Amino acid sequence: DAGITQSPRHKVTETGTPVTLRCHQTENHRYMYWYRQDPGHGLRLIHYSYGVKDTDKGEVSDGYSVSRSKTEDFLLTLESATSSQTSVYFCATSRGLGYTFGSGTRLTVV
Amino acid sequence: AQSVSQHNHHVILSEAASLELGCNYSYGGTVNLFWYVQYPGQHLQLLLKYFSGDPLVKGIKGFEAEFIKSKFSFNLRKPSVQWSDTAEYFCAVREGYGGATNKLIFGTGTLLAVQP
């Protein structure tokens, strides 16, 4: 597997606070993705990146922003966390036809 | 936008029963298709994938899937399930050749429970 590290693994935060999740890869993959996983919804794409400083919105991007200042790091920020953003967040990377997923970050907004 | 449908949301089977999970996609062009499995508390693992060629694809742990282009389907099968197959299964589609984004779009998942 590609080396993907997500941090933190678990986080509890209060409504209205900003939160940043980090995805770090060591495989030099061009593409990176943030998904959220919720029961009954599967994995939904939040944002993705197709290169350094090249990002775009996915299907559920409202309330989220991302940044990619270098190949190995892709940050997901919740500007002002809401309870509806309680979820498990997965980062993924790809190069060509293979995809690799991180272990996930479980975020609880109280 | 393309979409993926998994009509079986929750399936309960006894050990040794046969399994078929449905997956349909909406994209009309060339697609690449995937099945992933997620065991409780773990991240996604690739079961199998279809890119081109033989529409019957064999994956790990005895799973296989058949791509039927005319039906926009990519159903997952296993002749005899085991208790250890209890997991959530996700179908996913990638636009052919990835385009500029290489995005992977998932279905809503099917939760499989295998009873001993």
Side-chain angles (χ1 to χ4, degrees):
Chain A
D1 285 348
I4 301 179
T5 305
Q6 289 187 232
S7 58
R9 292 294 310 277
H10 303 272
K11 186 171 182 65
V12 179
T13 191
E14 293 185 349
T15 299
T17 61
V19 177
T20 295
L21 308 183
R22 181 180 185 236
C23 178
H24 178 79
Q25 59 140 333
T26 58
E27 296 297 312
N28 201 36
H29 285 177
R30 175 184 176 187
Y31 300 97
M32 298 185 76
Y33 313 85
W34 276 108
Y35 290 89
R36 60 177 288 174
Q37 183 180 18
D38 304 287
H41 292 278
L43 279 83
R44 293 179 290 175
L45 184 63
I46 305 171
H47 280 280
Y48 60 96
S49 170
Y50 45 95
V52 173
K53 297 185 179 179
D54 291 324
T55 65
D56 206 347
K57 296 178 179 180
E59 57 183 312
V60 290
S61 59
D62 286 349
Y64 302 94
S65 62
V66 290
S67 66
R68 192 171 180 197
S69 59
K70 46 187 178 178
T71 300
E72 54 267 36
D73 289 325
F74 193 32
L75 304 180
L76 176 71
T77 297
L78 289 66
E79 303 291 349
S80 177
T82 67
S83 58
S84 65
Q85 293 176 312
T86 291
S87 186
V88 179
Y89 292 85
F90 285 98
C91 174
T93 69
S94 76
R95 182 175 61 192
L97 302 176
Y99 296 83
T100 304
F101 289 83
S103 298
T105 294
R106 183 173 295 276
L107 177 68
T108 303
V109 183
V110 298
Chain B
Q2 60 182 298
S3 64
V4 181
S5 298
Q6 292 182 244
H7 303 294
N8 311 107
H9 299 295
H10 196 180
V11 174
I12 302 173
L13 295 173
S14 298
E15 276 193 314
S18 64
L19 170 72
E20 181 161 2
L21 301 182
C23 173
N24 290 92
Y25 62 93
S26 63
Y27 188 66
T30 303
V31 293
N32 305 134
L33 298 157
F34 304 77
W35 275 99
Y36 285 88
V37 61
Q38 186 180 35
Y39 298 102
Q42 297 187 23
H43 60 86
L44 291 172
Q45 300 176 34
L46 181 66
L47 271 179
L48 48 79
K49 57 190 176 186
Y50 171 80
F51 293 153
S52 63
D54 189 344
L56 185 61
V57 180
K58 294 192 182 299
I60 61 172
K61 305 186 181 188
F63 287 92
E64 64 179 31
E66 184 175 13
F67 171 55
I68 303 179
K69 188 175 182 180
S70 61
K71 295 184 178 181
F72 298 90
S73 70
F74 189 56
N75 292 354
L76 181 70
R77 300 195 292 248
K78 186 171 184 179
S80 176
V81 295
Q82 302 173 327
W83 178 80
S84 58
D85 293 323
T86 295
E88 191 159 18
Y89 293 81
F90 295 94
C91 181
V93 61
R94 166 187 175 271
E95 292 181 12
Y97 309 111
T101 67
N102 216 40
K103 289 191 293 184
L104 197 60
I105 305 301
F106 287 86
T108 53
T110 297
L111 197 58
L112 171 66
V114 180
Q115 298 176 333

